[in-house]
Amino acid sequence: MAKARVLIIDDDRDIIETTGALLEHEGFEVHYSETVEDGINMIGVTTPDVILLDIMFPEKKTRGFEAAEEIKSSYPEIPILAFTAINREYAFDFAREDIKAEEFINKPVDTDHLVGLINKHLKK
């Protein structure tokens, strides 16, 4: 049975390494990118089953939201789990309503919760 593929797009190397290692330990095939542009380009190559997308990037504060919209326009079938250190209700509402992110998760991410959300979206 093939492993489910997860693409992590985040500018924080520590988040990528920590989350990636935890997900690999849970049996996922993990790919990652530290930039939005490279992450979007990797989608066609890695064909992820789920994308973990950071919302805030240094080059532009809303870049993660814009990336999610771009991803959904080309790959509407891939669930996006938006995750960020922002803990504001308006960001949650924006992610759910405007970019149609399937989930919005606060950092630091609880591993069991994250794995549960990934598996929930793999079954759809």
Side-chain angles (χ1 to χ4, degrees):
M1 184 172 164
K3 292 182 180 181
R5 293 174 303 280
V6 177
L7 173 60
I8 302 172
I9 304 173
D10 196 309
D11 63 313
D12 186 328
R13 184 70 158 165
D14 290 336
I15 295 290
I16 287 173
E17 289 177 358
T18 303
T19 305
L22 292 169
L23 292 176
E24 286 175 348
H25 179 73
E26 293 293 326
F28 296 100
E29 178 182 324
V30 179
H31 301 270
Y32 63 88
S33 172
E34 293 181 46
T35 68
V36 169
E37 291 76 16
D38 288 345
I40 290 173
N41 290 334
M42 287 180 69
I43 295 170
V45 176
T46 62
T47 318
D49 297 299
V50 174
I51 297 172
L52 299 180
L53 177 65
D54 186 18
I55 295 302
M56 302 299 282
F57 286 85
E59 63 267 16
K60 189 171 184 181
K61 288 188 178 182
T62 60
R63 188 61 179 127
F65 290 127
E66 293 167 357
E69 291 180 74
E70 186 175 338
I71 291 166
K72 281 297 185 184
S73 70
S74 299
Y75 305 95
E77 72 285 358
I78 301 175
I80 295 175
L81 308 183
F83 69 128
T84 186
I86 299 172
N87 189 7
R88 296 187 180 116
E89 197 59 38
Y90 75 86
F92 292 172
D93 292 342
F94 184 82
R96 288 185 189 112
E97 299 302 322
D98 292 346
I99 65 172
K100 308 296 187 221
E102 283 70 18
E103 303 288 346
F104 200 96
I105 308 163
N106 279 326
K107 294 178 187 175
V109 178
D110 174 83
T111 305
D112 291 336
H113 179 65
L114 179 59
V115 169
L117 290 174
I118 291 171
N119 285 327
K120 170 183 161 185
H121 291 285
L122 291 174
K123 293 177 183 178
K124 290 185 175 182

